[in-house]
């Protein structure tokens, strides 16, 4: 599993963001290391501390680094000069909190470094869609050509959870979808929503799927059938909330 490093000017901000993300990560979250604040507990960032955190977080599968703003980015770029394996490190341009949540959940599902980095790159799109802004997100949008070609690899089901696909079942759905070599997508049939990637926690939560809503889950790829079987079982079980 990949590791994550959180770079922030504020240790309190980093700890709070991690607490939120780990609530979604389940029982086997990725390793998360923090490089935040100045040496006296003041605000600031330190390239050497960031490099040390990256090396600690790297278990061999690579490290994704998420930063808050300004000089945190510069310090992270500088830190790459000091780490042991810079080729295994990616700096994410994702929004800090949304990106961290997406990274923890996607990594916990077993996705590799490039897949997690790609998912995080779309982390701001769900909020833009909720606010009515246009987006060309790779995690959402009109039905893809690949999904259209997968008419046979799909199922429809009703969401029975009292709160619908809220944060915890959504995170479970994403982690399960991420375990398979398959492009899994979901549509809320009752609202006529856009088709979204099932690897995007934020896109899935942004749909606001409610109790009683019918969804269509489709998949393409070598493990599409296995992914659909597991996801159908999760929905029918109410994601363990019954």
């Amino acid at each position: 599993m990949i590791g994550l490093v959180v770079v922030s000017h504020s240790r309190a901000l980093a700890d709070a963001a991690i607490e939120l993300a780990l609530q979604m990560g389940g029982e086997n979250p990725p390793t998360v290391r923090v490089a935040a604040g100045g040496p006296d507990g003041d605000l600031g960032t330190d390239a050497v501390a960031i490099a040390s955190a990256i090396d600690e977080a790297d278990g061999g599968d690579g490290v994704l680094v998420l930063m808050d703003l300004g000089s945190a980015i510069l310090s992270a770029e500088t830190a790459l000069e000091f780490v042991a394996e810079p080729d295994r490190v990616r700096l994410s341009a994702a929004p800090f909190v949304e990106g961290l949540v997406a990274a923890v959940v996607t990594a916990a599902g077993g996705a590799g470094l490039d897949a997690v980095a790609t998912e995080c790159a779309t982390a701001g799109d769900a909020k833009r869609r909720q606010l009515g802004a246009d987006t060309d997100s790779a995690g959402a949008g009109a039905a893809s050509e690949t999904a259209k070609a997968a008419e046979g690899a799909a199922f429809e089901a009703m969401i029975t959870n009292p709160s619908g696909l809220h944060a915890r079942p959504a995170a479970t759905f994403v982690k399960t979808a991420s375990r398979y070599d398959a492009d899994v997508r979901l549509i809320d049939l009752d609202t006529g929503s856009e088709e979204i990637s099932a690897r995007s926690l934020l896109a899935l939560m942004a749909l606001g799927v409610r109790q009683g809503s019918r969804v269509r889950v489709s998949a393409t790829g070598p493990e599409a059938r296995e992914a659909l079987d597991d996801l159908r079982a999760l929905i029918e079980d109410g994601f363990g909330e019954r």
Side-chain angles (χ1 to χ4, degrees), residues 89-204:
V89 182
R90 304 284 186 277
L91 304 183
S92 175
F96 187 63
V97 175
E98 290 89 344
L100 180 58
V101 171
V104 167
V105 172
T106 310
L113 178 59
D114 289 338
V116 176
T118 298
E119 190 54 52
C120 286
T122 69
D125 294 342
K127 185 180 290 182
R128 285 192 286 272
R129 284 196 300 279
Q130 284 183 293
L131 292 173
D134 291 332
T135 176
D136 294 326
S137 166
S144 68
E145 292 302 320
T146 53
K148 289 178 180 177
E151 293 297 334
F155 69 87
E156 295 181 6
M158 179 180 292
I159 301 300
T160 60
N161 296 67
S163 299
L165 278 182
H166 63 92
R168 292 187 187 281
T172 300
F173 194 96
V174 169
K175 284 183 287 186
T176 302
S178 298
R179 284 202 291 267
Y180 293 97
D181 183 8
D183 180 17
V184 183
R185 292 179 175 271
L186 181 142
I187 297 174
D188 184 338
L189 296 172
D190 289 348
T191 63
S193 72
E194 296 176 324
E195 182 184 68
I196 60 99
S197 168
R199 291 189 176 187
S200 174
L201 174 65
L202 300 173
L204 186 56

Side-chain angles (χ1 to χ4, degrees), residues 221-242:
E223 297 180 326
R225 178 51 59 194
E226 293 88 341
L228 291 176
D229 288 346
D230 260 11
L231 293 169
R232 183 199 296 270
L234 276 176
I235 293 175
E236 292 178 348
D237 185 50
F239 296 87
E241 292 189 337
R242 292 175 181 167

